[in-house]
């Protein structure tokens, strides 16, 4: 039975969270024809480094139910904007405002409209942001969300691993620096077992009769690994979405071979993880000056004090050059002291305990430390060599599929995902695809109608870039 004191505190937190007046955006743009197909943009304010700034995409929560729209999360969007970020607050279609038959309240979500909208909004955002917020750098995008919005943030980052017949599937990973999910409904099976939000997960998927069939298309715990840096922030005293849900997602990620950062906050319930906390702005400006690509350790671990959910988000988002590059969240937790078991209200989840010593340059996770022991993260190029042309004009060509900032192992894992999904120029419709691995190298052999083609995939450390 839930502690009455915890219930009372949760109600007080909810009342406080929803008591903040809405903050008007600087611009609004539509990504579709429905009234809910809108994005509110908040221009960066306060001290910035000049030039383009990272874009934070916010997806609001509310159990995917109609009474809860993007207005209640606007103080949070304003919080980030005042710290110098460009912010996009996305609206999407939710459930009916009328109670469903045999339901205790408004129905959660719409299938498939809720997912249609989030996919459409994420696809349209680079163009919309370029017009509405010219100072936003659409190459440095972080997506975040609270509760149901945390679920949608995780789902938006996993569209490239959706089932092949999904209309929302992307052919390659989305261009995101990472995801910060605040108290997310991240594992639908566990959420239903615990009765989270009155069975909202099942309602979102159309009811119990379609829950199992639609789970592979909607459940973040079933869409792993993503290859995109992910951090989950969770209050220990959250009685609406208990920490078991977040822990189940982190465990599923570890089982899939992916590391997800989980920060558990002592004395924190449902809403403090997504509401403002009075933190001196100069502290964030001081720790965020390592731009880009270098991690500096702050004066103290970022989540040592209760109520630091927003601070944890800001700490990750403040330096996406280090904190949210693909497959590199673990290095950030090490360098910032996250989850090191060294501070109050701060715990390393068992699934994250896999720490390797810093190897020599070129042999592992980081280059030699800078003075003071701060590591400089290595950048790895994902390279593909393939045959192009036919007959006597057939020749080898090399291309760069992308980059990963982190360990060599993380780069190899990302390369494998790319190799599995790679579609070479020839043959156009292969009769057979076979992928081999030899150490850090992959070989894709394709049987064409008349001849056999193959592609070779390797990783290599980038030493310099004259265009950087």
């Amino acid at each position: 039975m839930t502690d009455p004191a915890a219930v009372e505190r949760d109600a007080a937190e909810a009342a406080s969270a929803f008591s903040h007046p809405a903050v008007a955006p600087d611009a609004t743009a539509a990504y579709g024809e429905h009234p809910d197909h809108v994005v509110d943009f908040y221009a960066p304010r306060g001290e910035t480094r000049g030039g383009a700034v990272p874009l934070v995409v916010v997806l609001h929560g509310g159990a995917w139910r109609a009474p809860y729209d993007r207005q209640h999360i606007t103080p949070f969007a304003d919080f980030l904007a005042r710290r110098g970020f460009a912010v996009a607050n996305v609206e999407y279609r939710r459930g009916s405002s009328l109670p469903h038959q045999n339901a205790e309240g408004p129905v959660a979500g719409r299938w498939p409209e809720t997912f249609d909208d989030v996919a459409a909004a994420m696809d349209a955002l680079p163009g919309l942001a370029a017009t509405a917020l010219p100072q936003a750098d659409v190459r440095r995008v972080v997506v975040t969300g609270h509760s149901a919005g945390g679920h949608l943030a995780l789902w938006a980052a996993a569209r490239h691993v959706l089932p092949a017949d999904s209309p929302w599937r992307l052919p390659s990973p989305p261009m995101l620096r990472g995801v910060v999910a605040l108290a997310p409904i991240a594992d639908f099976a566990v959420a239903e077992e615990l009765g989270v939000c009155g069975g909202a997960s099942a309602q979102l998927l159309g009811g119990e009769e379609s829950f199992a069939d639609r789970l592979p298309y909607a459940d973040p715990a079933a869409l792993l690994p993503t290859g995109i840096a992910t951090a989950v922030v969770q209050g220990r005293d959250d009685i609406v979405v208990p920490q078991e849900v977040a822990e189940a997602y982190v465990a599923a990620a570890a089982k899939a071979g992916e590391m997800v950062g989980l920060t558990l906050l002592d004395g924190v319930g449902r809403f403090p993880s997504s509401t403002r906390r009075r933190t001196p702005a100069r502290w964030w400006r001081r720790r965020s000056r390592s731009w880009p690509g270098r991690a500096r350790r702050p004066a103290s671990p970022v989540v040592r004090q209760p109520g630091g959910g927003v601070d944890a988000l800001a700490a990750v988002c403040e330096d996406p050059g280090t904190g949210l590059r693909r497959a590199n969240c673990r290095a950030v937790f090490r360098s910032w002291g996250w989850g090191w078991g060294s501070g109050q209200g701060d715990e390393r989840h068992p699934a994250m305990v896999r720490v390797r010593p810093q190897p020599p340059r070129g042999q592992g996770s980081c280059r030699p430390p800078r003075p003071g022991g701060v590591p400089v993260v290595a950048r790895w190029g994902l390279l593909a060599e393939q045959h192009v042309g036919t007959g006597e004009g057939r020749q080898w060509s090399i291309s760069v599929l992308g980059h990963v900032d982190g360990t060599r192992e993380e780069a190899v894992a990302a390369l494998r995902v790319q190799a599995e999904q790679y579609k070479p120029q020839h043959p156009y419709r292969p009769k057979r695809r076979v992928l081999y691995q030899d150490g850090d190298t992959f070989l894709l052999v394709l049987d064409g109608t008349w001849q056999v083609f193959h592609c070779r995939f390797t990783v290599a450390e980038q030493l310099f870039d004259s265009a950087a």
Side-chain angles (χ1 to χ4, degrees), residues 48-196:
T48 62
R49 297 177 180 83
V53 300
L55 174 65
V56 180
V57 180
V58 176
L59 293 161
H60 70 82
W64 310 283
R65 293 188 167 116
Y68 306 100
D69 62 12
R70 69 190 185 284
Q71 296 302 318
H72 77 271
I73 204 74
T74 57
F76 177 62
D78 178 65
F79 174 94
L80 293 174
R82 286 187 284 107
R83 265 86 186 149
F85 300 104
V87 182
N89 188 14
V90 177
E91 190 57 276
Y92 52 89
R93 282 177 285 184
R94 305 166 308 287
S96 171
S97 298
L98 299 176
H100 189 272
Q101 185 178 3
N102 299 324
E104 296 180 357
V107 177
R110 300 186 193 180
W111 179 276
E113 289 90 342
T114 298
F115 297 93
D116 287 342
D117 292 356
V118 173
M122 295 300 296
D123 292 343
L125 263 173
L128 296 178
T131 301
L133 290 180
Q135 59 270 64
D137 187 348
V138 296
R139 299 170 301 174
R140 294 183 290 168
V141 180
V142 176
V143 59
T144 186
H146 176 246
S147 187
H151 156 263
L152 293 173
L154 295 171
W155 181 86
R159 290 170 59 198
H160 57 297
V161 294
L162 283 166
D165 60 343
S166 171
W168 310 302
R169 180 183 170 96
L170 294 176
S172 59
M175 297 302 294
L176 298 174
R177 291 289 176 91
V179 183
V180 180
L182 307 176
I185 305 177
D187 188 308
F188 279 9
V190 174
E192 284 304 295
E193 290 178 5
L194 299 175
V196 170

Side-chain angles (χ1 to χ4, degrees), residues 190-252:
V190 174
E192 284 304 295
E193 290 178 5
L194 299 175
V196 170
C197 297
S201 301
Q203 293 178 17
L204 174 67
L205 302 189
E208 295 181 0
E209 62 277 3
S210 56
F211 182 75
D213 292 338
R214 292 174 176 175
L215 204 63
Y217 299 86
D219 184 9
L223 301 173
L224 292 164
T226 66
I228 294 177
T230 303
V232 176
V233 180
Q234 174 75 40
R236 287 186 181 276
D237 297 337
D238 188 341
I239 63 173
V240 180
V241 183
Q243 72 179 61
E244 288 83 357
V245 178
E247 289 175 333
Y249 174 77
V250 173

Side-chain angles (χ1 to χ4, degrees), residues 139-140 175-177 227-229 292-295 319-332 334 356 364-367 376-382 402-412 414-415 459-463 465 468:
R139 299 170 301 174
R140 294 183 290 168
M175 297 302 294
L176 298 174
R177 291 289 176 91
I228 294 177
R294 289 179 173 83
D319 196 347
T322 301
L324 287 173
R325 284 179 177 166
R326 290 180 184 168
N328 191 34
C329 216
R330 183 166 69 243
V332 178
R334 283 201 297 266
R356 295 186 295 271
S365 60
C366 294
R367 299 177 184 176
V376 178
V377 178
R379 162 163 283 199
W380 304 90
L382 309 183
H403 294 87
V404 169
D405 295 82
T407 68
R408 188 181 190 94
E409 292 81 1
E410 290 166 338
V412 172
L415 181 65
V459 298
E461 183 179 359
Q462 177 179 301
L463 300 182
D465 182 353

Side-chain angles (χ1 to χ4, degrees), residues 249-264:
Y249 174 77
V250 173
K255 186 176 181 180
E258 186 161 76
M259 190 73 71
V260 170
L262 173 59
T263 301
L264 298 174

